[in-house]
Amino acid sequence: TAKYESILTSRPEPGVALVTLNRPKALNALNVALFRELNEALHLIDADKEIGAIVITGSEKAFAAGADIKQMKDKSFADAYQNKFLESWQQIASIRKPIIAAVSGYALGGGCELALMADILLAAPNAQFGQPEVKIGTVTGGGGSQRLTRAVGKSRAMELTLTGRTWSAQEAVAWGMASRVVGEGDGEVVREAVALAAEIAAKSQIAVQAQKEAVNAAFEQGLSEGLRTERRLFHMTFATADQKEGMAAFVEKRKPNFTNS
Ligand code: CAA
């Protein structure tokens, strides 16, 4: 297995990969090296046939406190522009396997944007979200203006990003940005995310990945194009052994045995 400095990777359950952001002294601030490792790990996991779903988490205190301010504070426009600063963050969008963010503590700036890149967001009661970029003289750079606006609507996204105020786990759920608040105890949100990932990983991986692609089409495409994408993916499943097995198992009143083919 690969050795990383700023992240930890493990396999807490069969079929599940857990990626833990691990720069505790900097509250998991997302520097260039961390994101390079995260992208590499996610692409290796995506290619690993043993893995069906991915959990990304941080620590109890911080999912991630943002892009690394110390690393970028003296950056020039020429450097940022010519080296496409933060463009590599969007590689996460090409991961086929479902990604669950288990968020405890601070998810600020780029940390909030990373959580918004996940397919499912579970929040611990102490989760604190925010896009405070405006307070340090810049704007969201990791997709916040787009994904947060799609998640919570224009008026809230404007209010949140123009003031930089933080919001709670309960607010994130009420606004549809997170699916639920999980647990009270330490590590509970990670355990729940791993259990959810294991449940997903036990399904047909082709169906799971096509379903993720179909839901994502709702964010990228207009309605009729999105409906066509969904129908094409639905039709495609009839070419898979897993569709035959899944439907045969239903009719024969037994558990399906998916082969991811
Ligand atoms: N970048 C670099 N270092 C950071 C950091 C960040 N985003 N967030 C925290 N740290 C560092 C602190 O500098 C501190 O390091 P030292 O011990 O060397 O001083 C260490 O982590 C612990 O942080 P604090 O002492 O500040 O901890 P706290 O509990 O008092 O406060 C906090 C926690 C409220 C999260 C505070 O650290 C904070 O406000 N962090 C910055 C949040 C922020 O502005 N994020 C947005 C960044 S911009 C961005 O992300 C752009 C984008 O869209 C991609």
Side-chain angles (χ1 to χ4, degrees), residues 125-153:
N126 77 338
Q128 212 177 313
F129 300 91
Q131 297 289 166
E133 287 85 349
V134 71
K135 293 185 182 173
I136 54 171
T138 185
V139 303
T140 54
S145 63
Q146 306 304 301
R147 293 197 181 93
L148 183 66
T149 305
R150 282 164 166 76
V152 306

Side-chain angles (χ1 to χ4, degrees), residues 25-27 29 61 65 67-70 86 109-110 113 132-133 140-141:
K25 287 190 184 127
L27 302 181
K61 181 165 183 197
D68 192 316
I69 299 170
K70 291 170 187 164
L86 300 194
E113 291 169 313
E133 287 85 349
T140 54

Side-chain angles (χ1 to χ4, degrees), residues 24-56:
K25 287 190 184 127
L27 302 181
N28 292 331
L30 305 164
N31 63 8
V32 171
L34 185 152
F35 233 95
R36 193 183 301 123
E37 292 184 358
L38 181 61
N39 274 328
E40 185 187 317
L42 290 176
H43 282 96
L44 288 173
I45 291 165
D46 214 29
D48 183 342
K49 289 193 166 30
E50 300 296 311
I51 299 294
I54 305 164
V55 175
I56 300 180

Side-chain angles (χ1 to χ4, degrees), residues 147-257:
R147 293 197 181 93
L148 183 66
T149 305
R150 282 164 166 76
V152 306
K154 174 179 161 176
S155 180
R156 276 187 204 117
M158 285 286 188
E159 187 179 337
L160 296 169
T161 59
L162 297 180
T163 62
R165 86 147 167 99
T166 60
W167 64 94
S168 67
Q170 288 78 9
E171 285 174 306
V173 172
W175 299 339
M177 171 188 168
S179 43
R180 50 204 163 93
V181 184
V182 176
E184 285 295 336
D186 282 8
E188 187 62 30
V189 72
V190 180
R191 280 192 290 280
E192 182 65 23
V194 167
L196 177 58
E199 186 184 341
I200 293 169
K203 306 285 191 297
S204 160
Q205 290 316 304
I206 300 178
V208 162
Q209 292 173 27
Q211 186 66 62
K212 166 171 168 169
E213 200 178 329
V215 173
N216 274 335
F219 291 90
E220 309 263 349
Q221 304 173 358
L223 180 60
S224 53
E225 204 190 338
L227 290 170
R228 188 159 40 243
T229 297
E230 180 189 64
R231 223 157 37 243
R232 292 282 177 267
L233 288 163
F234 174 62
H235 294 168
M236 176 200 81
T237 65
F238 290 90
T240 67
D242 284 349
Q243 173 272 327
K244 296 289 173 284
E245 168 62 11
M247 293 194 186
F250 173 81
V251 171
E252 292 159 22
K253 302 188 190 299
R254 60 174 174 84
K255 276 203 156 115
N257 176 26

